[in-house]
Amino acid sequence: MDEITQGIVQAIDLIVTLNPEVMQIAALSLYISLSATILAALIAIPAGGFIHFHEFRGKRALLIVIQTLYSVPTVVVGLVIYLLISKSGPLGILGLLFTPQGMILGQTVLIIPIMMGLIISALSGIDRSISDTLVALGATSFQKILEILKEARYAILSAVVLGFGRAIAEVGVAMMIGGNIRGHTRVLTTAITLETGMGNFGFSIALGIILLIVALIVVVILNLITSGLSSDSQQIVGGPPG
């Protein structure tokens, strides 16, 4: 119990004094996860929209594959990316292994299926009468797609926020692709794993607190988005109940 108490006190001291190493690890974690989230969103939103708005052979099978990839172990993604970007891999010439850029690539691949699946679900949840009304008003296909995307904007943003939460909390890809190199590729999750194994509980707790704060911020943002979605829904059906 004394070790835990001392660890918490040390953790608070490290955070309050803005320990350079703690801040560097936290900043790198945010940089990598935010970059991966932006790249994944740029791919998942148009891809999810295309899948939803078009009918093609094998669509149902593709949706099943996307849903299956929700729960793919991060170490499997890490292994695949490692084999691709290692020196003997097809992308080895890019020199991405054990770099922040390689970690961004790995996290992007990890969260794309999650974002894409949630975006498809969000678009599928839009009332079909909206689409029919737009067609009746003479809207083009492009205008119809834009309006439906606008209606689903909060749910789409929720998917992006959830993707960020998944990225910043994962360990497998960060460890395998980044190598947990101090001052270069060490992020919150990998540093917590290492420092705990070494018995540096104060440092681990400090990083854990920061990670929890980030998770709390993600949840708060998600709740704000959900509240906005509920408000919009009430306005669509005739305003808030009296």
Side-chain angles (χ1 to χ4, degrees):
M1 190 66 183
D2 288 339
E3 284 188 352
I4 297 176
T5 303
Q6 291 174 3
I8 293 174
V9 172
Q10 183 184 354
I12 294 173
D13 179 65
L14 288 170
I15 294 173
V16 171
T17 58
L18 300 179
N19 178 271
E21 187 172 2
V22 171
M23 294 301 105
Q24 186 272 331
I25 291 172
L28 182 62
S29 298
L30 288 172
Y31 164 71
I32 290 173
S33 297
L34 282 172
S35 299
T37 302
I38 292 171
L39 287 175
L42 291 174
I43 297 171
I45 293 175
F50 178 86
I51 293 171
H52 171 74
F53 290 113
H54 294 82
E55 294 297 330
F56 52 87
R57 190 173 182 180
K59 179 177 179 176
R60 186 174 182 82
L62 178 59
L63 291 175
I64 292 174
V65 170
I66 292 173
Q67 291 169 356
T68 301
L69 292 175
Y70 286 2
S71 56
V72 63
T74 59
V75 290
V76 173
V77 176
L79 174 61
V80 172
I81 301 300
Y82 184 95
L83 293 175
L84 287 174
I85 66 176
S86 64
K87 289 184 178 180
S88 58
L91 301 180
I93 192 173
L94 299 177
L96 295 175
L97 190 60
F98 303 137
T99 66
Q101 291 72 29
M103 295 169 71
I104 291 171
L105 173 62
Q107 289 190 4
T108 300
V109 172
L110 177 68
I111 63 177
I112 280 176
I114 299 172
M115 278 194 194
M116 195 180 300
L118 292 174
I119 288 166
I120 293 171
S121 297
L123 294 173
S124 300
I126 298 299
D127 194 334
R128 189 172 181 82
S129 63
I130 295 176
S131 177
D132 295 337
T133 301
L134 290 169
V135 172
L137 292 173
T140 64
S141 297
F142 181 71
Q143 289 173 328
K144 183 180 75 172
I145 291 172
L146 284 181
E147 285 300 317
I148 292 175
L149 286 173
K150 183 179 177 181
E151 289 295 329
R153 64 189 182 278
Y154 287 109
I156 292 173
L157 187 54
S158 294
V160 174
V161 173
L162 285 171
F164 171 75
R166 175 78 161 109
I168 199 167
E170 75 83 30
V171 182
V173 171
M175 187 73 78
M176 296 179 71
I177 304 302
N180 200 23
I181 303 171
R182 185 176 185 178
H184 184 54
T185 60
R186 185 167 295 175
V187 292
L188 287 170
T189 51
T190 60
I192 290 171
T193 302
L194 176 67
E195 298 297 335
T196 301
M198 295 172 61
N200 297 329
F201 298 115
F203 203 83
S204 297
I205 294 171
L207 296 176
I209 291 172
I210 293 174
L211 190 57
L212 286 173
I213 291 172
V214 173
L216 176 62
I217 292 172
V218 170
V219 171
V220 170
I221 292 174
L222 187 58
N223 274 280
L224 290 174
I225 292 170
T226 304
S227 299
L229 180 60
S230 299
S231 299
D232 274 16
S233 298
Q234 290 177 348
Q235 290 174 8
I236 291 173
V237 298

